[in-house]
Amino acid sequence: MSAAEIKAKILGVATSLFEAKGINACAVDMIINASGVARATMYRHFPSKDTLIMAFLRSKADAFYEWLNRGLRNQKGKPADKLIALCILMEEWIGTPNFKGLPFHIGTIEFPEPDHPVNQFSITLAKELQEYFSALAKEAGAPDPAGLSQQIIMLFEGAALVERVAPGSNAAAKAKDAALLIIRGTLK
Amino acid sequence: MSAAEIKAKILGVATSLFEAKGINACAVDMIINASGVARATMYRHFPSKDTLIMAFLRSKADAFYEWLNRGLRNQKGKPADKLIALCILMEEWIGTPNFKGLPFHIGTIEFPEPDHPVNQFSITLAKELQEYFSALAKEAGAPDPAGLSQQIIMLFEGAALVERVAPGSNAAAKAKDAALLIIRGTLK
DNA sequence: CTAAAGAGACAGAACGTTCTCTCTCTTTTG
DNA sequence: CAAAAGAGAGAGAACGTTCTGTCTCTTTAG
């Protein structure tokens, strides 16, 4: 196995464990045992557990954006349609059976201290998301793009939360319906 | 200080610390030092830290329901008005400057393992909330009370999350606006 | 006098991180 | 071409810290 493959394996195993048991509940021992990697090897690729956590959040966010970009790329039509498509894509992402939560705000709950690196990193992730959505809302001609963006984010972050507590409750679909009501009501 | 007062003091101090630093980041030592109470005393009133955590979540939820009940008690008018009043009360609750988060879903993020007592307790808290909102949605004549209730919950839980990451962003007000759009769009 | 509270030592476990030692490849060099 | 050097990985012991929960002893209050 090459160095890059080993790093990817560590990150993959850590991802599964973090999602299944929560970040704080995962010891480094679990990660190295589950990935069959030596302790020193893990620390060579990720100088600290915090680094590994941030890599985990980053990769989840990247995968999410890639999914959105691919889905929105061939979206012609009116600019508002892109915003609608966004909501449908979000519904699919959150509604998928093995959905495990969005990576944008979790870090601030598991690491609430403002000076913790993971907390700070989460805040930049949340800002990124806000800007991504805001740009689409602006294209769609929303009078207050940042506001509409925030409303959509609140809705789907809430859906992700509810989906964790009550799996199979179709929270994603209900969030999408609500988002469409908000968008149509806002763009008039 | 009477026994009841001591118990209340411990819970109060724990509440402040949990909200400021997060539940997992608060050691028992911090709680007893900050409350000036002996270790054994704390363990006499709360047989375990988990018990104290659940008492904390319970008291936050109780305070919330008491606020809602008081606000809705004198709400005459059409049944739908009660649902609108609910949203306004939620906005005030979340938008207050020293708001620290809702107690209904946090537990499932800080304690994601399904067999953890705090996780299970959080699920019952979330169900309680769902039933409270659902009853109001039913009174208001919503075609799918549970669905509308879930949408409102998602919105405000998301707002609570965003408010933590970006304080002063008026997330509560935006959530209320969105909730009203959803309610009006759903009730006809 | 008795039950409760303060003060703090203590055990036991868990966790992140560092360290040592060994083995196996790949690359360099004479 | 062959020997040496080095990098990267496996295995695991060890350290310091932190945390929960128990226990003992002394002091206070009803």
Side-chain angles (χ1 to χ4, degrees):
Chain A
M1 237 190 315
S2 79
E5 285 170 333
I6 287 180
K7 184 165 186 176
K9 166 137 211 173
I10 296 171
L11 184 55
V13 168
T15 297
S16 306
L17 288 175
F18 286 159
E19 290 177 343
K21 304 172 71 67
I23 297 177
N24 271 319
C26 282
V28 172
D29 281 333
M30 296 183 200
I31 297 168
I32 62 176
N33 286 335
S35 56
V37 149
R39 215 173 189 74
T41 305
M42 196 214 85
Y43 274 96
R44 200 182 337 266
H45 287 292
F46 302 97
S48 70
K49 192 193 176 187
D50 287 344
T51 310
L52 178 58
I53 293 169
M54 290 187 279
F56 153 68
L57 295 174
R58 176 80 271 166
S59 82
K60 292 290 287 183
D62 286 347
F64 174 75
Y65 285 129
E66 201 188 334
W67 156 266
L68 286 189
N69 286 331
R70 190 167 37 214
L72 294 176
R73 191 176 302 148
N74 303 354
Q75 193 69 28
K76 304 299 173 190
K78 291 176 297 181
D81 292 343
K82 228 168 175 175
L83 211 50
I84 311 254
L86 172 72
C87 293
I88 295 172
L89 287 168
M90 290 284 299
E91 179 204 357
E92 291 180 34
W93 183 265
I94 295 179
T96 199
N98 49 357
F99 171 75
K100 298 293 180 188
L102 296 174
F104 304 103
H105 293 81
I106 313 180
T108 63
I109 302 192
E110 288 225 54
F111 303 89
E113 288 149 304
D115 25 346
H116 195 289
V118 175
N119 184 289
Q120 296 174 355
F121 186 71
S122 276
I123 290 181
T124 75
L125 284 181
K127 278 187 188 154
E128 268 182 36
L129 183 71
Q130 166 70 20
E131 282 159 19
Y132 189 104
F133 278 38
S134 208
L136 288 179
K138 191 170 185 179
E139 278 186 53
D144 176 14
L148 179 55
S149 159
Q150 214 172 33
Q151 286 173 323
I152 299 175
I153 289 174
M154 287 186 299
L155 206 36
F156 285 105
E157 282 283 1
L161 218 58
V162 168
E163 190 69 44
R164 283 171 68 107
V165 173
S169 61
N170 254 339
K174 297 200 183 83
K176 186 208 63 181
D177 293 342
L180 295 186
L181 280 175
I182 296 171
I183 292 171
R184 297 215 174 91
T186 303
L187 299 184
K188 198 195 21 188
Chain B
M1 234 186 320
S2 79
E5 284 170 333
I6 289 181
K7 184 165 186 175
K9 165 138 211 173
I10 296 171
L11 184 56
V13 168
T15 297
S16 306
L17 288 175
F18 286 160
E19 290 178 344
K21 305 172 71 67
I23 297 176
N24 271 319
C26 281
V28 173
D29 280 331
M30 296 183 200
I31 297 167
I32 62 177
N33 286 336
S35 56
V37 150
R39 206 176 183 74
T41 305
M42 197 213 85
Y43 274 96
R44 194 182 345 261
H45 287 292
F46 302 96
S48 72
K49 193 191 174 187
D50 287 344
T51 310
L52 177 58
I53 294 170
M54 291 188 278
F56 153 68
L57 295 174
R58 176 81 272 167
S59 82
K60 292 289 289 183
D62 285 347
F64 175 75
Y65 286 127
E66 199 187 336
W67 156 266
L68 287 190
N69 286 332
R70 188 166 38 213
L72 294 176
R73 191 175 304 148
N74 303 356
Q75 194 70 29
K76 304 299 171 194
K78 288 175 300 182
D81 292 344
K82 226 169 178 178
L83 209 51
I84 311 254
L86 171 73
C87 293
I88 294 172
L89 287 169
M90 289 284 298
E91 179 204 357
E92 290 180 35
W93 183 265
I94 295 179
T96 199
N98 49 358
F99 170 75
K100 299 291 182 189
L102 296 174
F104 305 102
H105 292 81
I106 314 180
T108 64
I109 302 193
E110 288 225 55
F111 303 89
E113 288 149 304
D115 23 347
H116 196 288
V118 175
N119 183 291
Q120 296 174 355
F121 186 71
S122 276
I123 290 182
T124 74
L125 284 182
K127 278 188 189 154
E128 268 182 36
L129 183 70
Q130 166 69 22
E131 281 159 19
Y132 188 105
F133 279 39
S134 209
L136 287 179
K138 191 170 187 179
E139 279 185 53
D144 175 15
L148 179 56
S149 159
Q150 213 172 33
Q151 287 173 323
I152 299 175
I153 289 174
M154 288 187 298
L155 207 36
F156 285 106
E157 281 284 1
L161 216 57
V162 168
E163 192 69 43
R164 283 171 68 107
V165 174
S169 60
N170 253 338
K174 297 200 182 83
K176 186 209 64 183
D177 293 342
L180 295 186
L181 280 176
I182 295 171
I183 291 172
R184 298 216 174 91
T186 302
L187 295 188
K188 180 193 41 148

